[in-house]
Amino acid sequence: MCGIVGYVGPQDAAPILLEGLGRLEYRGYDSAGLAVATKSGLKVRKVSGRVADLAADLPARFKGAPGIGHTRWATHGEPTPENAHPHTDAAGRIAVVHNGIIENADELRAKLAADGVEFASQTDTEAVAHLVAAAFQAGAVDLEQAVRQALRQVVGAYGLAVMDAEHPDRIVVARNGSPVLLGVGEKEMFVASDVAALIGYTRQVVYLDDGELATVTPTGYRTFTLDDRAVAKSPSTIDWDVVGAEIGDHAHYLIKEIQEQSRTIERALKGRIDERFDTAHLGGLNLTVREAREIRRVKILGCGSACYAGDLGAQLIEDLARVPASAEPASEFRYRNPVVEPDTLYVAVSQSGETIDTLAAVQELQRKGGRVIGIVNVVGSTIARQVDGGIYLHAGPEMSVAATKSFTSTVTAFALLALHLGRIRDLSPEQGRRIIAGLNALPEQIAQVLEQSDAIAEVAREIAGSNSVLFVGRRRGWPVAREGAQKLKEVSYVHAEAYPSAELKHGPLALVSPELPTVAIVPDDNLLDKNTSTLSEIKARKGPVIALAHRELPSDLADRTLVMPKNEPELDPILMSVPLQLLAYHAAVALGRDVDKPRNLAKSVTVE
């Protein structure tokens, strides 16, 4: 949520800021703005709407540097130009952009108002600009000192960047619970909340940790703490490329990323299959064989699609490693008082590596002595650096808000983890070879699923006019149904619910009617008879049925069958997820939705 970009150097800042903000549009936002330093002071431009609207609104002479830009996802006040960032003090000397939430904003605003400050917005962020200005009035000698004095009064989460018209050679940034990083260029520097903003400008980045600040100038950077202790930080190299973040000739990022899944699964597997011992090689776990054998339980934490992937991961771990495993929404886990067991392995799942609820759960576990590994896509992200070890997905940038390639890559990573743990225990070499053969077959089978896109689009157009859609599945099909329902509602806005097939008789069957389509996950496994019995119950009540199956089902069980290639039972959910992504995509297109940026949603959820 929200995006920050900053630039200091010899070039005009505005074009660089606009390009960076454009690369952050996938995060979700409702307004945008820029501030640049000129010889006559700061220039600020803000709009409610898209980055393209901001670019169109800029005057021809909006030139200068340094500059900061922001895309806002509303938390305090409606998405209006007044509430958009950057925010300034009354004199227009200080400009601030901010991600996160200042929890004591009401108290700060009341105190500042009592001192005569008049606010121009409803936001929590504006208070920071006035606090920095007040610090100068109280005797702060430079921008670093003024920002430190201001932040000592702030309670809450923030990633922020601050400019001062009277110090136009620098930007000061700070982090506490919301990501901020520095980009190191040649006689120029960048700041951002996400590495995606820097693609094409630099591959050298410096990640700030909570409680750290930095000053960037054209010649370099200095990192320090709130009490002005120096912190040594070295740049890391990012491996994302411009091509991976470009839409190319695709209509939307979402369909591009769906179609990339054969390659992303290959990357997730690359270098991790050990055919000599019929196992998976996962050196990043930082677990010895002895430590892995001592694990008695696995607990998986994630939010949204990451949690559904965790449900599938838990079943893989139980099936292959015979270790009790379960998944739970990190947003719920963080608010209870969990029992943290020394022989439990905790797994945090996050595409962005910045999901605030998941990060808070990780930190709580580590405070209580828990061992936590991560399954993360973004190298160098906060969760990736916080955990004790883990698995990178290497799926490349996922620009659409809806998770697709990151979901299937996550489940693939869980299959590797389950294989690794299983072979350390009692999984036989023969069973290990079976799973490896299934994993190696996935890329080609996903390509076969993608060839059915036109047929799936026809089904999608049929259900797009429905008020609601029911998704059902048993065992491994149940998390697939949940993920399918989420995809449909988040990108098409068609209401969708998912239920375990066996639960229909316990209430939801009352909803079945000719107006309610059901999407059923019907793999050809040992529960096939149970699943076809469920379809009979739905058809007996005249409910339309669309089945995902490994064979064509008779018309008295399904109105339409989408026949999928068959893999091993443990891996079939990966393949079954892909047609549901296509179903959601084509339904959204048929309804004219903003496919890549669904309303009210954000890619990286960094606020509660």
Side-chain angles (χ1 to χ4, degrees), residues 293-580:
R293 285 190 61 84
E294 290 173 350
I295 294 168
R296 293 292 173 263
R297 188 181 306 277
V298 177
K299 184 76 174 180
I300 302 165
L301 303 170
C303 296
S305 293
C307 188
Y308 306 148
D311 283 328
L312 290 169
Q315 294 194 44
L316 281 160
I317 290 167
E318 289 199 340
D319 288 344
L320 300 181
R322 306 304 298 151
V323 176
S326 61
E328 179 180 350
S331 53
E332 291 296 315
F333 181 88
R334 65 173 294 194
Y335 286 118
R336 61 185 181 83
N337 186 23
V339 177
V340 178
E341 301 163 310
D343 54 2
T344 295
L345 177 67
Y346 296 90
V347 185
V349 184
S350 171
Q351 186 282 139
S352 68
E354 303 292 351
T355 309
I356 189 67
D357 290 312
T358 308
L359 175 60
V362 170
Q363 292 169 336
E364 177 67 10
L365 284 166
Q366 290 178 330
R367 275 193 291 271
K368 294 183 175 181
R371 178 189 290 272
V372 191
I373 65 170
I375 296 181
V376 174
N377 190 33
V378 180
V379 175
S381 57
T382 303
I383 292 174
R385 290 180 290 121
Q386 183 81 39
V387 293
D388 303 308
I391 305 170
Y392 279 122
L393 301 181
H394 300 304
E398 190 174 62
M399 308 301 287
S400 183
V401 166
T404 52
K405 63 181 182 178
S406 65
F407 178 83
T408 52
S409 290
T410 297
V411 182
T412 302
F414 271 119
L416 291 168
L417 177 62
L419 175 62
H420 175 74
L421 295 177
R423 288 290 290 124
I424 287 173
R425 286 175 167 76
D426 300 320
L427 190 71
S428 69
E430 180 183 5
Q431 291 299 307
R433 284 193 294 275
R434 178 179 67 85
I435 296 301
I436 288 172
L439 289 168
N440 287 331
L442 282 173
E444 176 58 32
Q445 290 182 314
I446 288 175
Q448 294 171 23
V449 175
L450 295 173
E451 290 174 358
Q452 300 188 50
S453 183
D454 290 344
I456 295 169
E458 184 179 333
V459 176
R461 287 190 289 271
E462 293 173 5
I463 69 170
S466 304
N467 290 325
S468 186
V469 180
L470 187 65
F471 287 73
V472 297
R474 266 185 173 81
R475 199 173 179 311
R476 301 181 186 98
W478 162 225
V480 174
R482 293 168 71 196
E483 171 64 7
Q486 168 140 323
K487 282 291 157 289
L488 184 65
K489 57 192 166 191
E490 69 182 333
V491 300
S492 75
Y493 317 152
V494 173
H495 176 262
E497 291 287 342
Y499 284 94
S501 297
E503 288 293 302
L504 284 186
K505 298 184 291 293
H506 299 285
L509 200 59
L511 297 172
V512 173
S513 73
E515 289 73 42
L516 180 72
T518 296
V519 177
I521 316 304
V522 192
D524 195 356
D525 59 14
N526 61 337
L527 296 176
L528 180 61
D529 290 343
K530 297 288 186 183
N531 280 321
T532 54
S533 175
T534 298
L535 300 188
S536 295
E537 293 173 356
I538 296 169
K539 291 297 291 179
R541 290 154 180 84
K542 303 188 185 312
V545 173
I546 299 126
L548 293 186
H550 291 130
R551 65 176 84 169
E552 188 74 31
L553 299 182
S555 58
D556 61 337
L557 293 178
D559 298 275
R560 295 286 298 268
T561 303
L562 297 171
V563 179
M564 298 293 109
K566 181 169 175 52
N567 198 293
E568 299 300 328
E570 297 91 342
L571 303 176
D572 278 330
I574 298 173
L575 294 170
M576 290 288 193
S577 300
V578 178
L580 298 184

Side-chain angles (χ1 to χ4, degrees), residues 224-238:
F224 51 97
T225 63
L226 273 178
D227 58 3
D228 204 24
R229 287 185 295 106
V231 179
K233 291 281 184 178
S234 299
S236 303
T237 302
I238 56 174

Side-chain angles (χ1 to χ4, degrees), residues 40-195:
S40 58
L42 297 183
K43 287 185 178 180
V44 179
R45 208 73 168 190
K46 306 190 287 185
V47 299
S48 57
R50 298 299 186 190
V51 172
D53 301 322
L54 176 62
D57 189 59
L58 289 183
R61 297 185 63 81
F62 197 84
K63 298 182 183 299
I68 52 177
H70 192 264
T71 48
R72 174 179 183 257
W73 189 81
T75 56
H76 291 72
E78 296 180 0
T80 64
E82 293 77 17
N83 288 329
H85 298 210
H87 289 286
T88 64
D89 67 320
R93 172 183 172 179
I94 306 299
V96 178
V97 294
H98 164 231
N99 292 349
I101 293 178
I102 297 173
E103 296 172 7
N104 64 335
D106 289 344
E107 175 189 333
L108 293 173
R109 285 173 66 99
K111 179 182 177 182
L112 288 162
D115 292 337
V117 170
E118 294 184 7
F119 287 88
S121 76
Q122 300 167 282
T123 68
D124 54 342
T125 304
E126 188 184 351
V128 177
H130 293 294
L131 288 173
V132 174
F136 275 117
Q137 293 171 3
V141 298
D142 54 29
L143 184 58
E144 293 90 336
Q145 185 180 5
V147 171
R148 287 191 288 106
Q149 290 180 8
L151 291 182
R152 288 196 189 100
Q153 304 173 62
V154 170
V155 177
Y158 53 78
L160 56 83
V162 186
M163 285 173 49
D164 176 11
E166 295 189 15
H167 294 84
D169 63 336
R170 65 194 56 209
I171 300 171
V172 173
V173 299
R175 175 198 167 124
N176 187 53
S178 191
V180 177
L181 54 92
L182 318 179
V184 182
E186 185 68 32
K187 296 183 179 178
E188 59 185 358
M189 289 286 296
F190 307 84
V191 299
S193 54
D194 187 315
V195 293

